[in-house]
Amino acid sequence: MSDAPSRDIPGSPPSPIELGNAGWSILHSAAAVYPYKPTKEQKEAMKGFIYGWSHVYACNWCAYHMRRYVAEHPPVVDDKISVSRYICAFHNNVNEHVGNPTYSCDPDVLLRRWHPGYPNNMADHPSMEERVAAEEKKDGRGKAEPGELGPDPNRR
């Protein structure tokens, strides 16, 4: 057996439905883990993520509608609750257009569904940077390895 990489990757391109399901999972999950008290940098990053997504999304028709939605409804990225509601309202808008059911945008409903640490591990701190710095300080080596930080506190 050769160590050379295979020339073919199994599978086929995702359908618009598969893209939609994956895309909404990413958007809702990103909103759910967004901080309660984001920094200016985090707010700019989330806003850029949403705008950027509308320009690179792999379904051209969907991306066009996404750009129209965000132009008419600029992203609200003040905190975890506001961005989660924004993504939910956006998703419900799409669902209405394609004849799918809409869902509650109640923050507790959204976070229960999308946050991996719901309900007990949803704090903004410690961030991954803070966890790595603490581990590096603790062992004096100046570099923490991936497995040394223990389980991610935001995982169920």
Side-chain angles (χ1 to χ4, degrees):
M1 183 168 180
S2 170
D3 287 338
S6 172
R7 293 182 158 239
D8 294 321
I9 299 172
S12 58
S15 70
I17 299 293
E18 291 169 324
L19 279 171
N21 291 336
W24 286 120
S25 289
I26 290 168
L27 289 168
H28 283 292
S29 297
V33 300
Y34 189 69
Y36 284 109
K37 295 179 182 178
T39 64
K40 181 181 176 189
E41 180 182 44
Q42 289 168 318
K43 288 179 182 181
E44 290 171 7
M46 179 57 86
K47 194 175 283 191
F49 175 67
I50 294 167
Y51 279 115
W53 189 267
S54 75
H55 288 276
V56 299
Y57 193 63
C59 167
N60 291 332
W61 183 250
C62 307
Y64 166 75
H65 284 282
M66 190 180 299
R67 287 191 297 275
R68 288 184 58 198
Y69 184 87
V70 297
E72 294 172 15
H73 309 278
V76 180
V77 297
D78 298 328
D79 56 34
K80 178 189 301 288
I81 302 303
S82 64
V83 77
S84 291
R85 283 183 171 150
Y86 175 83
I87 295 299
C88 180
F90 179 18
H91 194 173
N92 278 339
N93 178 272
V94 171
N95 282 344
E96 287 173 0
H97 281 40
V98 299
N100 288 340
T102 59
Y103 296 95
S104 171
C105 290
D106 175 84
D108 193 55
V109 170
L110 296 171
L111 295 175
R112 185 179 325 113
R113 167 60 179 92
W114 297 106
H115 196 289
Y118 181 90
N120 298 321
N121 293 316
M122 295 183 17
D124 291 352
H125 298 286
S127 68
M128 184 54 70
E129 289 82 1
E130 291 165 334
R131 290 177 65 204
V132 168
E135 186 64 29
E136 290 170 348
K137 184 177 181 182
K138 181 177 86 176
D139 70 15
R141 288 180 302 150
K143 182 180 179 196
E145 298 300 321
E148 296 175 330
L149 298 176
D152 185 342
N154 285 328
R155 295 299 308 167
R156 289 184 195 179

